[in-house]
Amino acid sequence: MEVDAVVNGVVDAGHRPSVDRIRALVAGDRPVLVRCATPPADDSGAAAAEVIALISVYAWLGVRFFATDRPRDARQALDMVASIQGTRPPAVARRGLA
């Protein structure tokens, strides 16, 4: 069993925790922080995409705080999740015509 740090009322879930662990922590009464960073030895686009995908999944599950080395990409992913969930309007609405 892993012990999570609580700082200023926020549960620090650590670096890239499992989805099951996140579900359990989000079910609690405190906001959750997840740390997602690109490995220092791997600064490729694939590693960055993996980090952004993880942030999207964690946000969908209810994580409210993130620590990352890619804040712009993370913000874009968080905005996308919020738009899909309906908690904010999309930045641009386009209609496709066939």
Side-chain angles (χ1 to χ4, degrees), residues 11-94:
V11 177
D12 186 347
H15 182 73
R16 296 184 183 190
S18 72
V19 171
D20 292 332
R21 222 167 127 238
I22 289 298
R23 283 187 179 129
L25 291 173
V26 168
D29 61 343
R30 297 176 190 243
V32 178
L33 164 76
V34 172
R35 300 176 187 279
C36 297
T38 308
D42 188 6
D43 196 27
S44 67
E50 180 184 349
V51 168
I52 299 308
L54 282 171
I55 288 173
S56 299
V57 170
Y58 292 145
W60 187 268
L61 294 172
V63 173
R64 294 180 42 200
F65 296 98
F66 295 90
T68 181
D69 58 344
R70 299 189 169 275
R72 285 188 181 149
D73 296 335
R75 178 79 259 166
Q76 186 176 13
L78 294 172
D79 288 344
M80 176 196 67
V81 169
S83 293
I84 292 169
Q85 288 181 329
T87 57
R88 76 177 282 282
V92 176
R94 292 203 171 88

